[in-house]
Amino acid sequence: MEKRAIEIDIKVPNQTRYLSLIGRIGEDLAKELDKYCGDRETLAYHINLVLTEAMVNAIKYANAEDPDKMVHITITIADNELLIRVYDNGQGFDINSIPPPDFEKLEDRGRGVFIIKSIMDSVRYHAVDGGNVLEMSKRL
Amino acid sequence: MNLNIETRNEVIIIYVKEERLDAHNSGDLKSEMQRLFAEGKKNILVDLHDVRFIDSSGLGALVSGFKNAISHQGNLKLSTLQTQVKSMFELTRLHRVFEIFPSTAEALENF
């Protein structure tokens, strides 16, 4: 890892009340990037959003809303790349089997993964020791 | 969640007094809209002036309210969206579904 890399490692209980805390950390991080030349406000919103969507996915679906489980998040910024990993202890699912939303039909749900894929350059979900990880990266 | 509700010209205005409308709190807004339509209210305006952040669950709650309005022959409209919030409606194409007004006053004129 290069000298100027930033790595944040957080574990929070599997509860939606922690979404704003994690989202805020992501936003603050975006505002601290000294080399970023794009629209910082939009980047901050996008990091907040991706963290929120990925955490909700872990909390509600992968960890089946079990409040005793934990969600583990790492955010790494190195070599002009943002890498977010969200770990869960659930059964896992095939991210590629989730269809994009049908814009002609008005569904209450089903936009989370679409939003993540729209914002990030690469999205992968795979098994790791004791669970799964949703790995999302974006060039800065 | 903090919601201020007032009635003007037979329109129920729900002011969402939260910085975030997300998976943690959007269920409350969804239930409130359900309750109002079930009570027989026909016209609801959701004012998002204070909402700085919305996620897919927040959007989903508003979609649920919109469908509820249709099934009760009512209307659900939105006003005063912040720029980033509006961009979420565009990303998910929901700006084609909702009538969105720049101010509460303009929204009220269009019921």
Side-chain angles (χ1 to χ4, degrees), chain B residues 58-81:
Chain B
L59 294 170
L62 293 168
V63 168
S64 164
F66 185 83
K67 292 196 294 189
N68 235 303
I70 293 170
S71 66
H72 288 87
Q73 289 84 47
N75 294 291
L76 179 96
K77 304 186 186 197
L78 308 176
S79 63
T80 52
L81 274 59

Side-chain angles (χ1 to χ4, degrees), chain A residues 31-97:
Chain A
K31 289 172 183 166
E32 291 300 325
L33 294 178
D34 47 0
K35 282 192 211 156
Y36 187 68
C37 321
D39 179 348
R40 225 168 258 270
E41 289 297 320
T42 300
L43 179 69
Y45 191 96
H46 283 173
I47 296 179
N48 186 347
L49 184 60
V50 165
L51 284 165
T52 300
E53 297 294 349
M55 274 186 70
V56 171
N57 201 56
I59 293 168
K60 292 203 166 179
Y61 307 115
N63 287 344
E65 305 204 52
D66 178 349
D68 295 329
K69 286 189 172 168
M70 299 292 284
V71 182
H72 178 199
I73 301 126
T74 66
I75 309 169
T76 311
I77 297 176
D79 300 328
N80 295 327
E81 189 189 47
L82 164 71
L83 176 62
I84 297 173
R85 293 189 179 100
V86 178
Y87 297 83
D88 67 67
N89 316 114
Q91 295 295 315
F93 64 98
D94 177 7
I95 199 164
N96 295 315
S97 71

Side-chain angles (χ1 to χ4, degrees), chain A residues 16-17 19-20 23 27 41-42 45 48-49 52-53 56 60 103 106-108 111-112 114-115 118, chain B residues 20 22-24 30 52-57 59-60 63-64 66-67 84-85 88 91-94 97:
Chain A
T16 53
R17 57 179 294 200
L19 293 174
S20 63
E27 286 212 345
E41 289 297 320
T42 300
Y45 191 96
N48 186 347
L49 184 60
T52 300
E53 297 294 349
V56 171
K60 292 203 166 179
F103 295 119
L106 266 184
E107 302 287 352
D108 299 4
R111 295 180 181 84
F114 166 77
I115 287 171
S118 303
Chain B
R20 288 173 64 98
D22 65 10
H24 184 58
K30 184 174 163 175
R52 198 177 66 75
F53 178 89
I54 190 165
D55 71 353
S56 65
S57 303
L59 294 170
V63 168
S64 164
F66 185 83
K67 292 196 294 189
Q84 301 282 10
V85 169
M88 289 298 295
L91 175 67
T92 54
R93 320 288 194 271
L94 287 172
V97 173

